[in-house]
Amino acid sequence: MSIDDMNGWRKTHYTRDVTPELDGQEVILGGWVRNYRDLGGLKFITLQDKYGERQITLKKGVVSDEVFEKGKVGYQYCLMIKGKVKKFEKAPGGIEIIPTEIKILNKTPDKLPIDMTGETISELDLRLNNRALDLRSLRNQAIFEIRGQVLMSIRNFLLKQDFTEITTPKIIGSATEGGTELFPIMYFDKEAFLIQSAQLYKEQLGGVYERVFEISPAFRAEKSHTKRHLCEIFTLDVEMSFADMNDVQKTLEELVHNVIEDVRENRMPALKVLNMEDKTIVPKLPFPRYKYDEIIELVDKKFGITIEWGEDISTEAYRKLGEELTGYYYITHWPMEIKPFYILPSNNPKYSESFDLQMGWLELVSGGTRVHNKQQLINAIEAKGLNSASFESHISVFGFGMPPHAGFGLGIARWITFICGLDDIREAVMYPRTPDRLTP
Ligand code: AMO
């Protein structure tokens, strides 16, 4: 069988736009074969495109012999179909298309590497190896439709609140946050690094545009093989001047509330595909707030897990916490010693003006009030054992009238994992990067 050209054909509709009102009209659709059934004198092709699917019905004697013969297709063949819309209640969506012409634009092997019928879910690594194909599945269509909505709703919400969208460099000359988790690269004949967070730039630009946000990648050279860690992350970074952590927490919880409301309002069919329609519900405001001290006391009393004051909360403790606190909640006032230099110490300097936003057991956000006094910033950098000279260009900005400010960073993939009820963060990213995965 030969491969056809489009030959001037253009799609007249997406599948979702072919409604029963178009009964009798001629349409041209294009897409891929999600499903195919050959019952002898009758063949059904389920044609999918970016928005959905429609049934193409080929009955011997009703369609031409040539079209009937051409209807012998394989899974995920790329097709264009010209045909008449026919109202038919028994067909999915109450419509079928009776084709008058079929173009086969590209074929697939007899056996695809992963299941594309939706009957079973192939193993994740196998799916990721064939990601562009895998992304055509109904489940992935739903996940990334929701992700798109989340990003759009975040932007709409923040722009309405006078935030300015910024874009900051992802290649930097020296280690910013002092961590060891940086990817070095060659920048012509010099060593440079991929950025770990937009932190320092968003703070600087907060001193210009007052309220800023960025949605962008950041790179973490952590060899973590967990279901919640990636090496290339995508974060929402927010910074607000003339504000402290309480103001930021209020904006953040309103943002979460609004975004989930938008997802439910606009993406209910996608939530249903993922069986999340009763689980991803609009959270009540305000979110519960617990201090770090209260949390370590709770996990000790309730679960007998001891966390030494000053230590991070262990994964085991988080898991247990997630059984107790199932929704969104804040953990505030972390020990200063486990927070980065840019976080403002509390009046009792053992503590910090910081918070995490949790969803059950998973950390979604971290943030806090920042140091804005230049000398205090220099001291804080050195107290963390870093060389303030390598932060000179950043520190200098604090000598030019830096306002008090606060902000947060939200991991987009972690949030999508939660909203979509996924088991592994890699499912929430089109092309995930992990210690073991650099392709595709
Ligand atoms: P932090 O390092 O906590 O804070 O990162 C912010 C959020 O990004 C997500 N995240 C990750 N997601 C997947 N894989 C990873 N390896 C990973 N690392 C982080 C988490 C996390 O809560 N500059 C500060 C933010 C601020 O204070 O504004 C920062 O980067 O959801």
Side-chain angles (χ1 to χ4, degrees), residues 170-219:
K170 303 304 155 204
I171 301 176
I172 48 168
S174 63
T176 43
E177 293 186 34
T180 50
E181 298 151 5
L182 282 161
F183 285 109
I185 57 162
M186 283 312 294
Y187 192 71
F188 303 107
D189 55 353
K190 275 202 292 258
E191 188 183 51
F193 302 92
L194 295 179
I195 204 143
Q196 212 181 3
S197 148
Q199 183 65 35
L200 305 188
Y201 290 107
K202 71 174 170 174
E203 284 192 53
Q204 294 182 19
L205 293 176
V208 181
Y209 304 109
E210 303 187 34
R211 297 176 147 222
V212 297
F213 77 96
E214 177 165 23
I215 302 174
S216 64
F219 305 88

Side-chain angles (χ1 to χ4, degrees), residues 177 197 199 202 220 222 228-230 233 235 237 239 342 363-368 370 407-411 414 425:
E177 293 186 34
S197 148
Q199 183 65 35
K202 71 174 170 174
R220 306 276 168 115
E222 284 173 71
R228 61 184 197 283
H229 285 97
L230 296 164
I233 63 175
T235 58
D237 275 286
E239 206 61 32
Y342 50 79
E363 175 204 319
L364 172 64
V365 177
S366 63
R370 324 298 192 185
F408 67 81
L410 176 154
R414 286 205 184 162
I425 195 167

Side-chain angles (χ1 to χ4, degrees), residues 62-342:
V62 172
V63 299
S64 72
D65 288 350
E66 191 194 340
V67 168
F68 191 77
E69 202 40 44
K70 212 149 188 198
K72 236 186 239 158
V73 291
Y75 289 108
Q76 294 299 315
Y77 271 30
C78 179
L79 307 182
M80 282 183 103
I81 287 180
K82 188 187 277 183
K84 273 232 166 81
V85 179
K86 193 174 149 208
K87 251 203 244 182
F88 181 50
E89 270 179 26
K90 284 189 191 153
I95 299 163
E96 57 182 359
I97 314 285
I98 312 298
T100 49
E101 252 182 280
I102 296 181
K103 285 184 187 290
I104 296 179
L105 301 179
N106 241 325
K107 293 184 191 174
T108 55
D110 284 344
K111 192 167 163 22
L112 289 170
I114 52 177
D115 178 80
M116 292 302 294
T117 64
E119 278 159 23
T120 57
I121 301 179
S122 302
E123 193 256 320
L124 183 56
D125 263 300
L126 190 60
R127 289 201 282 125
L128 293 175
N129 290 343
N130 298 281
R131 191 58 162 163
L133 177 62
D134 177 48
L135 288 172
R136 282 192 210 136
S137 74
L138 256 186
R139 178 182 161 79
N140 277 323
Q141 275 184 324
I143 294 170
F144 290 97
E145 200 184 292
I146 290 173
R147 184 180 188 269
Q149 177 71 52
V150 166
L151 295 178
M152 184 161 74
S153 298
I154 289 173
R155 282 201 168 89
N156 289 344
F157 176 84
L158 292 172
L159 291 171
K160 261 193 231 143
Q161 303 223 6
D162 289 324
F163 280 83
T164 298
E165 183 162 3
I166 55 168
T167 51
T168 63
K170 303 304 155 204
I171 301 176
I172 48 168
S174 63
T176 43
E177 293 186 34
T180 50
E181 298 151 5
L182 282 161
F183 285 109
I185 57 162
M186 283 312 294
Y187 192 71
F188 303 107
D189 55 353
K190 275 202 292 258
E191 188 183 51
F193 302 92
L194 295 179
I195 204 143
Q196 212 181 3
S197 148
Q199 183 65 35
L200 305 188
Y201 290 107
K202 71 174 170 174
E203 284 192 53
Q204 294 182 19
L205 293 176
V208 181
Y209 304 109
E210 303 187 34
R211 297 176 147 222
V212 297
F213 77 96
E214 177 165 23
I215 302 174
S216 64
F219 305 88
R220 306 276 168 115
E222 284 173 71
K223 282 215 168 123
S224 300
H225 298 266
T226 75
K227 290 182 173 185
R228 61 184 197 283
H229 285 97
L230 296 164
C231 295
E232 179 173 342
I233 63 175
F234 201 63
T235 58
L236 164 66
D237 275 286
V238 164
E239 206 61 32
M240 293 163 64
S241 290
F242 308 103
D244 67 14
M245 71 180 240
N246 297 307
D247 303 301
V248 166
Q249 281 177 277
K250 196 159 173 297
T251 298
L252 171 59
E253 65 195 358
E254 280 168 11
L255 179 138
V256 169
H257 180 95
N258 272 264
V259 169
I260 302 293
E261 210 166 52
D262 273 3
V263 168
R264 287 192 65 86
E265 216 172 286
N266 301 302
R267 305 293 160 183
M268 192 45 88
L271 283 176
K272 284 187 176 157
V273 167
L274 300 164
N275 296 320
M276 291 306 285
E277 69 271 30
D278 299 326
K279 294 183 192 141
T280 296
I281 50 173
V282 181
K284 283 203 186 75
L285 295 182
F287 294 163
R289 285 151 165 79
Y290 302 95
K291 291 200 160 116
Y292 168 87
D293 285 359
E294 291 173 293
I295 292 288
I296 58 172
E297 193 182 319
L298 188 147
V299 294
D300 183 20
K301 285 222 170 102
K302 198 127 203 169
F303 310 114
I305 302 173
T306 310
I307 294 165
E308 287 295 322
W309 194 91
E311 270 179 20
D312 215 336
I313 295 168
S314 62
T315 305
E316 182 201 7
Y318 271 132
R319 287 273 183 194
K320 287 287 178 197
L321 260 181
E323 290 169 16
E324 184 76 13
L325 309 167
T326 49
Y328 293 93
Y329 61 97
Y330 284 114
I331 305 179
T332 68
H333 300 94
W334 291 74
M336 189 62 219
E337 62 187 87
I338 51 170
K339 282 290 158 185
F341 67 82
Y342 50 79

